[in-house]
Amino acid sequence: MSYLNPTGSDLERFDGLSLIYWTLMGPYGMDRTVHCVDFYHCANGLGIKVIGGIREFTGEEYGVYVKRILPGGIAYADGRLQPGDQILEVNGDSLIGVTSERAVDILRSASATSHMRLLIARDDDARREFSELLEKFGSHSNTGSARSSPVLYGGGEHA
């Protein structure tokens, strides 16, 4: 029996076959290793900006990625999320095939529960696509592809 310890406190049990299947043939593609990251007491959000998702006007489809970790947020203090991490799921809701706006809405809804479980991919595929996104839509984009999950209560994108 193998144990995965994504949070440092709760152990999840996987038998050998399940672990091999999860790593090699998981729902997110061949040879993708998926990490589970839990956040608690996150009613004010994680404090991240995301980029990617389906581009409504062009039909281009990208994964949803952590673009930036904002100082003062839970993700910044926690230190486990990194720019370039692909967010695959939030509390069981898939971010595959959604727009950036929908991804932020899912993140905001999840933060209202005060517990967020993210499934992320941090691998060569994620790094490659994230680099492509930054090159195409980088930090000076007016396309709305990068939005924030909430950091503090109050105005703007940080609802």
Side-chain angles (χ1 to χ4, degrees):
M1 181 96 23
S2 176
Y3 293 91
L4 295 181
N5 189 355
T7 64
S9 60
D10 296 326
L11 293 177
E12 293 187 37
R13 294 176 188 225
F14 292 92
D15 63 34
L17 185 57
S18 295
L19 185 59
I20 290 169
Y21 180 82
W22 181 261
T23 302
L24 296 178
M25 302 296 290
Y28 301 105
M30 189 80 161
D31 295 328
R32 294 212 74 186
T33 302
V34 177
H35 304 275
C36 180
V37 183
D38 285 293
F39 294 95
Y40 297 92
H41 310 294
C42 54
N44 291 335
L46 294 179
I48 62 174
K49 287 191 178 236
V50 300
I51 189 170
I54 292 178
R55 313 278 307 166
E56 292 183 59
F57 297 113
T58 64
E60 293 174 286
E61 187 171 335
Y62 297 96
V64 175
Y65 293 86
V66 175
K67 181 179 182 185
R68 204 171 122 209
I69 311 288
L70 301 173
I74 289 176
Y76 183 85
D78 179 83
R80 289 179 291 166
L81 283 183
Q82 299 175 8
D85 286 346
Q86 182 180 6
I87 305 173
L88 303 170
E89 285 185 12
V90 179
N91 288 359
D93 290 328
S94 176
L95 295 191
I96 305 299
V98 301
T99 63
S100 177
E101 290 78 14
R102 178 70 183 129
V104 171
D105 290 342
I106 290 170
L107 285 161
R108 285 186 174 151
S109 295
S111 71
T113 68
S114 231
H115 171 253
M116 294 178 78
R117 173 169 280 182
L118 305 183
L119 291 182
I120 62 163
R122 184 181 297 150
D123 56 18
D124 290 339
D125 290 341
R127 280 188 286 279
R128 191 171 21 261
E129 187 171 72
F130 180 65
S131 293
E132 181 182 331
L133 272 168
L134 287 181
E135 193 174 300
K136 280 187 167 186
F137 308 109
S139 60
H140 303 299
S141 173
N142 293 333
T143 62
S145 63
R147 292 183 55 199
S148 300
S149 73
V151 174
L152 303 169
Y153 289 117
E157 290 289 283
H158 305 310

